[in-house]
Amino acid sequence: MDETFIIAYEERLRTAMLSSDVELLDELIADDLIFVNHLGQVLSKEMDIEAHRSGNLKMTGIDILDQRIRLLDRVAVTITRVNLSGIFGTPFEGEFWYTRVWQNRTGTWQIVSGHCCSVT
């Protein structure tokens, strides 16, 4: 495994978020996900996917500004700075940092933990 492998998974995630592809999101996100959003709320996989499924969240732009990757034994940690735009009740746009922990589980890589914060 090298960084390009994880970059490809990150790109699959970005594409799934932009298109609200809940099947691909389900594949990429572990059932026991723990995600803390920019408001400090702890979200589960189902809560994350439901926002896409229901149409409440519509991402219109996810532009990667910076990305760093740390490869560990069966785990990869990514931190990614993005310019994010979309609609979640009302339109939003801003810069955010995402930290994700990807784990190789029986031959497939999934996000097991994540955190988001806004760039001030």
Side-chain angles (χ1 to χ4, degrees):
M1 176 189 59
D2 61 22
E3 288 185 8
T4 59
F5 190 79
I6 297 302
I7 291 169
Y9 268 87
E10 284 276 326
E11 180 57 23
R12 290 179 70 204
L13 177 65
R14 189 181 80 79
T15 301
M17 291 170 68
L18 283 168
S19 63
S20 290
D21 183 341
V22 294
E23 288 182 22
L24 184 52
L25 290 169
D26 185 54
E27 177 185 321
L28 295 172
I29 299 171
D31 289 341
D32 57 348
L33 170 79
I34 299 173
F35 179 74
V36 179
N37 69 14
H38 68 290
L39 299 174
Q41 300 165 324
V42 179
L43 305 177
S44 66
K45 172 182 180 173
E46 184 54 36
M47 293 165 77
D48 187 20
I49 290 178
E50 181 57 30
H52 288 277
R53 182 183 296 118
S54 68
N56 289 336
L57 174 62
K58 178 62 182 155
M59 303 282 198
T60 57
I62 305 173
D63 300 317
I64 296 173
L65 306 173
D66 188 12
Q67 187 168 63
R68 302 171 196 183
I69 299 168
R70 297 291 178 264
L71 302 175
L72 307 168
D73 185 34
R74 295 186 52 210
V75 173
V77 178
T78 64
I79 60 169
T80 307
R81 186 174 181 163
V82 297
N83 185 24
L84 189 64
S85 59
I87 299 170
F88 192 60
T90 60
F92 65 86
E93 183 173 355
E95 284 188 26
F96 298 87
W97 276 106
Y98 281 87
T99 301
R100 294 187 190 93
V101 178
W102 292 86
Q103 184 180 35
N104 187 342
R105 293 186 166 183
T106 61
T108 187
W109 286 86
Q110 292 185 309
I111 302 163
V112 295
S113 182
H115 181 266
C116 175
C117 67
S118 61
V119 177
T120 56

